[in-house]
Amino acid sequence: MPQDPQHLQRPHPDERITDLSRLKAFTNPLRMQLYRLLYAAGTATASQLAEQVDQAPSLVSYHLRKLSELGFVTEAAAQSADGRERWWQVASEEGWGFRESDLAGTPEGAAAVGAVTRGLVDSRTAQYRTYLDQSAAWGAEWTDAAFTAEWLLDLTPTELAELGEELQAVSRRWRERGKAARTAGDTERREHVSVHLYGFPFRP
């Protein structure tokens, strides 16, 4: 979401999950979906999110409270001041991430890492398929600007890690540019944009 909410394998050190109980929160696909929607929206109520995921507000409230207990979302106090309904926001704009080596040392940890990683891939693939199904509605300017690419490189693990850091720095710069523009009121023709990048070894 949202830098993908994130969800980078090399996040900011303060946002890296090292506690397996926290990572396991996202083995639940609905919690993953709610987090992504909340990251994109900025702030939302359980009722608003429930409409988007076609679930009961009480169920969505339950999952939001669980995510709050684990430090992933927090109450947006300024909007909740009237007390009628809670407004929520993600706890950090940096999103969250994890390193497999921190968590996969036990069968339980390996299972959780695999479930969360596959859940991320599934949700990203579904998001891109939705765009492809609706691309005609976006018009030529957006479809010409959208991109998908694959590069085959010969790298060492250290070089791959360095590439990941550089890509994160680029995405962070563009995220801050978009945020500053919205704050300044420059919202005309500005949309949420999702960028998915993967870097992994393979042998042909």
Side-chain angles (χ1 to χ4, degrees):
M1 82 74 161
Q3 151 183 355
D4 193 309
Q6 82 254 316
H7 304 145
L8 299 174
Q9 296 291 56
R10 282 183 295 277
H12 187 282
D14 291 341
E15 311 305 331
R16 194 171 89 206
I17 297 174
T18 57
D19 184 339
L20 183 58
S21 65
R22 296 189 75 217
L23 181 68
K24 288 172 69 175
F26 288 106
T27 59
N28 183 304
L30 180 56
R31 289 181 187 172
M32 182 83 73
Q33 189 179 9
L34 292 171
Y35 183 92
R36 290 172 68 91
L37 289 170
L38 188 58
Y39 192 104
T43 60
T45 66
S47 296
Q48 290 170 341
L49 294 171
E51 290 181 6
Q52 295 183 66
V53 299
D54 195 25
Q55 297 288 344
S58 58
L59 178 63
V60 170
S61 291
Y62 168 80
H63 286 300
L64 289 171
R65 289 195 302 271
K66 289 298 182 182
L67 289 173
S68 177
E69 290 171 8
L70 292 166
F72 292 111
V73 305
T74 186
E75 190 171 345
Q79 290 178 279
S80 298
D82 62 9
R84 286 179 292 182
E85 188 171 11
R86 285 184 176 182
W87 286 76
W88 298 92
Q89 63 187 20
V90 297
S92 170
E93 289 188 358
E94 290 295 326
W96 56 267
F98 60 93
R99 282 186 175 144
E100 184 173 342
S101 59
D102 289 336
L103 299 159
T106 65
E108 181 185 19
V113 167
V116 172
T117 302
R118 285 173 174 78
L120 287 168
V121 171
D122 289 346
S123 64
R124 291 168 183 166
T125 300
Q127 183 183 33
Y128 188 55
R129 287 185 183 277
T130 298
Y131 162 73
L132 293 177
D133 291 341
Q134 300 173 352
S135 61
W138 283 101
E141 189 172 18
W142 276 107
T143 57
D144 286 348
F147 63 87
T148 178
E150 179 181 8
W151 301 278
L152 302 182
L153 313 173
D154 292 310
L155 304 175
T156 66
T158 299
E159 290 168 341
L160 180 57
E162 184 177 348
L163 173 61
E165 295 293 341
E166 290 181 9
L167 292 172
Q168 283 194 61
V170 170
S171 67
R172 188 174 291 111
R173 176 166 58 84
W174 280 98
R175 187 184 68 209
E176 292 303 318
R177 176 170 168 173
K179 180 181 175 181
R182 281 193 179 275
T183 300
D186 177 12
T187 58
E188 186 178 356
R189 299 172 64 248
R190 190 172 297 278
E191 302 282 354
H192 293 302
V193 171
S194 188
V195 179
H196 301 170
L197 297 170
Y198 303 90
F200 54 90
F202 75 103
R203 289 177 180 148

